[in-house]
Amino acid sequence: MLHIVDDEAVVRDALTWLATSRAIPARAYESGTQLLAQIGKGDFDADGDCVLLDVRMPDMNGVAVFDQLLARGLAQRMPVIFLTGHGDVPMAVDTLKRGAFDFFEKPFNDNQLMDRVQEALVNSRRAGETAAVHARLATLSSREREVLDLILAGKMNKVVADELGISMRTVEVHRAHIFDKMQVKTAVELAGLLK
């Protein structure tokens, strides 16, 4: 989902049209506070999210909105591309150093902007997948984590049982729970997920 934040309706409409012409779903907001309220609901798109953010807006400027996204830990999950007609080099450098995905000056090249949006969506999707894996890892018990580490080291159930001082049947049960929680069917799939 492309989140377009600009106080000018004509810009929001044009950017929405550009996005939909590339089959990118878009949602437009006339202020940064509207965007922050929406993402406060934790609604993320499985195909990724990207924010096109105007720098100059009346209630909360784009840099302040970006600061809020950073404070909430969302800059990786929702890459920000700044759009401005009034930017300067120090502002662009500062936001890029702090994690903005890109910085475009108005007027911009439509194709270049949409290409960067698509790249940002790919990055967002990857960040979402990584976050999901970490969330599943967090559901493992400490014993399951120990078994997981030994499975990833390529050890057989009997060796895992001997090293942990538990029965082989207990290892099998832990292994089944790990595969279930991590949503994999094989140790190879598990290793690929965690590489």
Side-chain angles (χ1 to χ4, degrees):
M1 172 74 63
L2 176 60
H3 302 273
I4 301 163
V5 186
D6 198 299
D7 59 328
E8 295 180 47
V10 67
V11 174
R12 289 192 309 269
D13 292 343
L15 290 170
T16 301
W17 180 85
L18 270 175
T20 54
S21 72
R22 289 235 190 156
I24 299 170
R27 183 177 294 148
Y29 309 86
E30 62 185 53
S31 72
T33 52
Q34 283 182 344
L35 170 75
L36 293 171
Q38 177 65 35
I39 64 167
K41 298 173 185 172
D43 217 7
F44 295 113
D45 193 313
D47 288 329
D49 288 281
C50 174
V51 179
L52 282 182
L53 186 56
D54 187 21
V55 171
R56 280 197 177 173
M57 292 183 289
D59 64 337
M60 177 184 255
N61 73 40
V63 175
V65 173
F66 180 60
D67 289 340
Q68 285 291 314
L69 293 172
L70 287 172
R72 295 180 186 187
L74 296 174
Q76 289 289 350
R77 186 63 183 92
M78 299 183 78
V80 173
I81 298 174
F82 279 99
L83 300 174
T84 185
H86 308 284
D88 55 35
V89 173
M91 178 193 303
V93 169
D94 177 58
T95 56
L96 291 170
K97 280 184 178 178
R98 293 189 305 125
F101 193 77
D102 211 333
F103 201 98
F104 278 80
E105 239 184 318
K106 296 175 187 175
F108 46 81
N109 178 296
D110 298 350
N111 287 325
Q112 288 177 344
L113 176 63
M114 286 299 114
D115 288 346
R116 287 300 281 163
V117 165
Q118 288 180 310
E119 290 171 27
L121 290 170
V122 168
N123 284 5
S124 172
R125 188 170 32 255
R126 286 183 190 142
E129 290 166 356
T130 300
V133 168
H134 288 294
R136 291 192 301 249
L137 275 173
T139 66
L140 299 179
S141 69
S142 58
R143 179 59 87 177
E144 288 168 344
R145 288 295 298 234
E146 291 173 330
V147 172
L148 170 69
D149 291 340
L150 294 171
I151 290 170
L152 292 175
K155 300 197 176 179
M156 303 300 284
N157 288 353
K158 182 172 178 16
V159 175
V160 173
D162 289 343
E163 285 192 27
L164 296 178
I166 57 179
S167 74
M168 204 160 101
R169 177 67 186 135
T170 302
V171 171
E172 290 168 356
V173 169
H174 284 310
R175 186 180 185 111
H177 287 159
I178 292 165
F179 285 14
D180 185 48
K181 289 178 180 179
M182 296 305 295
Q183 301 172 6
V184 297
K185 297 194 183 326
T186 67
V188 172
E189 215 181 322
L190 181 63
L193 184 66
L194 298 175
K195 68 176 176 178

